[in-house]
């Protein structure tokens, strides 16, 4: 699964009536491709997947595939806490032309590690698509341990993991225990550089909606061996990363996109748009823009 260094977990643009706005979606996709996104993840947490019904999810995947036209991979979020439902969504994504699927750890029913292996292995057996596992204990209430990821990596089409546990120790253990073809991505923007420093492959990002080029420059500096420059860029970007997660995702990033003139509309309830929190975000953003980060 060639996701590149930066996969963007794309927001879902909504019209004023709350429906998906496909015209805005096209503009957003073109913006992301132009600003450093190597692969596109749709219908994930950042895309407000809990509020999307099955028809909407299929429509977004279909539309993204049509607009992207194989320029970059399109990965569909098809994981749920229901194994049979996840299989159904995965098969739909395959039929619609997605290049891969992202499967989150089952949430709410809290399976143990043996249950996770059974869940993911069964879905993998029902599709030919490559699979990106997604571990996010803060939302799913369960942590998929390194040993479990290592075991699952032996299944031929489970090819990567988005690790949002926040534990570099766990990420390093996964890197150590999997073959060279298995990719480990950070699910936290702020851990992009630290993870790459211990052998990781990049990030499935939210901040790349607004600082994708800057993040690519940081990564390229690191890959070129200019550790001092990469570390400096990381420190400059860090307040932006933190601000992007200063309220429930994707509230801040949608605010930032709208502020930059890339309209994505608001969020669906039970989330609510920024209130006075926007003042703090604006201060961070204005401070960031004073830095001339991009390399010549």
């Amino acid at each position: 699964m060639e996701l590149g260094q930066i996969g963007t977990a794309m927001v879902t643009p909504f019209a004023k009536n709350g429906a998906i706005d496909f015209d805005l979606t096209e503009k957003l996709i073109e913006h992301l491709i132009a600003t450093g996104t190597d692969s596109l993840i749709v219908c994930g947490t950042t895309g407000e997947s809990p509020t999307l019904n099955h028809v909407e999810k299929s429509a977004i995947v279909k539309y993204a595939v049509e607009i992207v036209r194989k320029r970059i991979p399109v990965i569909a979020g098809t994981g749920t806490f229901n194994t049979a439902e996840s299989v159904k969504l995965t098969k739909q994504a395959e039929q619609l032309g997605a290049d891969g699927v992202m499967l989150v750890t089952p949430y709410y029913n809290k399976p143990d590690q043996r249950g996770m292996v059974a869940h993911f292995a069964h879905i993998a057996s029902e599709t030919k698509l490559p699979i990106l596992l997604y571990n996010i204990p803060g939302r799913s209430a369960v942590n998929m341990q390194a040993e479990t990821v290592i075991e699952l990596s032996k299944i031929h089409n489970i090819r990567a993991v988005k690790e949002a546990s926040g534990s570099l120790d766990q990420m390093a253990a996964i890197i150590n225990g999997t073959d060279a073809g298995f990719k480990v991505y950070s699910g936290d923007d702020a851990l992009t550089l630290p993870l790459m420093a211990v052998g990781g492959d990049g990030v499935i990002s939210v901040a790349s909606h607004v600082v994708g080029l800057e993040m690519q420059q940081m990564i390229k500096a690191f890959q070129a061996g200019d550790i001092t420059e990469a570390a400096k860029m990381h420190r400059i970007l860090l307040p932006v990363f933190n601000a992007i997660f200063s309220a429930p995702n994707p509230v801040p990033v949608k605010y930032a996109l709208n502020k930059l003139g890339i309209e994505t509309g608001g969020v669906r309830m039970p989330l609510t748009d920024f209130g006075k929190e926007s003042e703090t975000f604006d201060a961070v953003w204005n401070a960031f823009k004073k830095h001339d980060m991009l390399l010549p």
Side-chain angles (χ1 to χ4, degrees):
M1 182 182 288
E2 297 299 327
L3 300 180
Q5 282 79 49
I6 298 177
T8 297
M10 191 182 79
V11 303
T12 302
F14 296 128
K16 290 182 179 179
N17 65 0
I20 298 167
D21 191 316
F22 288 101
D23 289 338
L24 294 182
T25 299
E26 179 178 5
K27 292 175 182 176
L28 175 60
I29 289 172
E30 295 300 340
H31 161 75
L32 293 174
I33 292 175
T35 55
T37 290
D38 296 316
S39 52
L40 200 65
I41 293 83
V42 298
C43 301
T45 307
T46 309
E48 297 178 71
S49 58
T51 72
L52 299 173
N53 62 43
H54 294 169
V55 173
E56 289 175 320
K57 288 179 180 179
S58 293
I60 292 169
V61 174
K62 182 175 185 291
Y63 192 74
V65 168
E66 290 174 354
I67 296 302
V68 169
R69 301 188 305 279
K70 294 296 181 182
R71 287 175 288 171
I72 60 175
V74 175
I75 310 302
T78 60
T80 73
F81 55 16
N82 181 324
T83 305
E85 196 66 26
S86 300
V87 168
K88 180 179 178 181
L89 289 169
T90 297
K91 287 184 174 181
Q92 287 177 347
E94 186 168 357
Q95 291 168 358
L96 293 169
D99 298 292
V101 294
M102 182 177 71
L103 301 177
V104 68
T105 45
Y107 41 91
Y108 194 74
N109 44 14
K110 297 178 67 173
D112 59 16
Q113 301 300 306
R114 186 164 59 91
M116 289 184 208
V117 170
H119 171 79
F120 290 121
H122 178 70
I123 300 169
S125 72
E126 295 288 330
T127 183
K128 295 179 181 178
L129 288 177
I131 291 170
L132 167 69
L133 301 174
Y134 180 17
N135 184 40
I136 183 163
R139 288 182 180 268
S140 65
V142 287
N143 177 44
M144 182 162 51
Q145 296 171 5
E147 294 78 12
T148 302
V149 178
I150 292 166
E151 181 178 349
L152 287 166
S153 75
K154 297 171 184 176
I155 297 173
H156 73 95
N157 57 336
I158 296 181
R159 299 316 309 144
V161 64
K162 175 184 177 182
E163 246 296 334
S165 66
S167 170
L168 274 176
D169 288 353
Q170 180 159 306
M171 297 178 205
I174 293 169
I175 295 167
N176 254 358
T178 53
D179 65 43
F182 189 82
K183 307 294 185 181
V184 180
Y185 291 89
S186 173
D188 299 294
D189 285 294
L191 291 180
T192 304
L193 187 62
L195 175 61
M196 295 191 78
V198 298
D201 296 280
V203 61
I204 306 299
S205 174
V206 178
S208 56
H209 282 90
V210 292
V211 288
L213 288 173
E214 292 85 349
M215 293 176 70
Q216 283 286 12
Q217 290 296 101
M218 177 185 71
I219 290 170
K220 287 175 182 175
F222 173 77
Q223 292 175 327
D226 193 345
I227 307 304
T228 300
E229 182 65 23
K232 176 185 175 183
M233 296 174 85
H234 167 80
R235 293 193 300 271
I236 293 171
L237 281 164
L238 194 57
V240 177
F241 295 156
N242 291 335
I244 288 290
F245 291 97
S246 61
N249 183 40
V251 173
V253 72
K254 277 195 161 183
Y255 172 81
L257 285 164
N258 288 323
K259 185 179 176 67
L260 291 173
I262 303 157
E263 295 181 29
T264 56
V267 291
R268 283 180 172 175
M269 289 189 289
L271 299 181
T272 56
D273 294 327
F274 254 169
K276 293 198 71 175
E277 307 99 324
S278 63
E279 296 174 6
T280 301
F281 186 95
D282 288 345
V284 171
W285 183 254
N286 291 336
F288 166 72
K289 294 308 290 182
K290 292 179 181 179
H291 294 282
D292 184 15
M293 274 196 62
L294 288 178
L295 300 176

